[in-house]
Amino acid sequence: MIKTKNKEITIDDLKKTIDSLAVAVLNGFKKTAEGFKNQEKKTDDKIGKLTVVMNEGFKNQEKKTDDKIENLAMITMRGFDKVADDLELVKTDLKVLKTDVCFLKSDMQDVKEKVSNIEKLILQQHSFQIKELENKVKYIEEVLVLDK
């Protein structure tokens, strides 16, 4: 059997043990606090970098959006310019058509006058024949009335 030697523990011994435990716990707390501070700094750095990346991303996206809007505006403007050019062509064509219609009206008036003149001429040339036919019809009517 082994004999162990029992040592008497004194209050000073307990005080030293408690003091060294307190120092060890305090050092542990300090290391834990430093660990939290380091982790907090790393997290803050990551958040800072993420903020920079997000801001750059937003700026890039805003520039791309602005570029697209500018391109759409230019395309729209070209479309309006083309419509304006086409409208000018239509206006020019319309003026030509109006002029042509005026000439056609004038030509039609001339044709009407010529037809009217032809009618008058035919009546003059054939008035004697027409009168003679009227007389014959009148005679026939009289003969037919007498026979009844």
Side-chain angles (χ1 to χ4, degrees), residues 72-83:
L72 285 172
M74 289 184 343
I75 289 169
T76 303
M77 184 54 101
R78 284 194 301 263
F80 282 131
D81 289 344
K82 178 155 179 19
V83 168

Side-chain angles (χ1 to χ4, degrees), residues 22-38:
V23 168
V25 169
L26 185 61
N27 287 339
F29 283 143
K30 285 180 183 177
K31 286 182 181 178
T32 302
E34 285 178 25
F36 280 129
K37 283 181 184 177
N38 288 338

Side-chain angles (χ1 to χ4, degrees), residues 69-127:
I69 290 171
E70 185 65 30
N71 286 338
L72 285 172
M74 289 184 343
I75 289 169
T76 303
M77 184 54 101
R78 284 194 301 263
F80 282 131
D81 289 344
K82 178 155 179 19
V83 168
D85 292 344
D86 292 347
L87 189 57
E88 285 300 318
L89 290 173
V90 169
K91 284 180 181 178
T92 303
D93 290 347
L94 187 58
K95 286 179 184 176
V96 168
L97 283 173
K98 283 181 179 179
T99 304
D100 289 349
V101 167
C102 286
F103 283 128
L104 285 173
K105 283 182 179 179
S106 175
D107 289 348
M108 284 302 295
Q109 188 62 34
D110 290 347
V111 168
K112 281 182 179 179
E113 288 175 9
K114 287 179 183 177
V115 166
S116 179
N117 289 339
I118 290 172
E119 180 184 7
K120 288 177 186 175
L121 183 65
I122 288 175
L123 281 175
Q124 284 176 356
Q125 288 176 351
H126 297 289
S127 67

Side-chain angles (χ1 to χ4, degrees), residues 23-85:
V23 168
V25 169
L26 185 61
N27 287 339
F29 283 143
K30 285 180 183 177
K31 286 182 181 178
T32 302
E34 285 178 25
F36 280 129
K37 283 181 184 177
N38 288 338
Q39 191 59 41
E40 184 179 8
K41 184 173 178 358
K42 287 179 184 177
T43 302
D44 287 346
D45 289 345
K46 286 181 181 178
I47 290 173
K49 288 178 184 176
L50 181 60
T51 301
V52 168
V53 168
M54 287 179 66
N55 284 336
E56 287 176 3
F58 285 134
K59 286 178 185 175
N60 288 340
Q61 193 59 40
E62 184 178 1
K63 184 178 180 335
K64 287 179 183 177
T65 302
D66 289 346
D67 289 347
K68 286 181 181 178
I69 290 171
E70 185 65 30
N71 286 338
L72 285 172
M74 289 184 343
I75 289 169
T76 303
M77 184 54 101
R78 284 194 301 263
F80 282 131
D81 289 344
K82 178 155 179 19
V83 168
D85 292 344

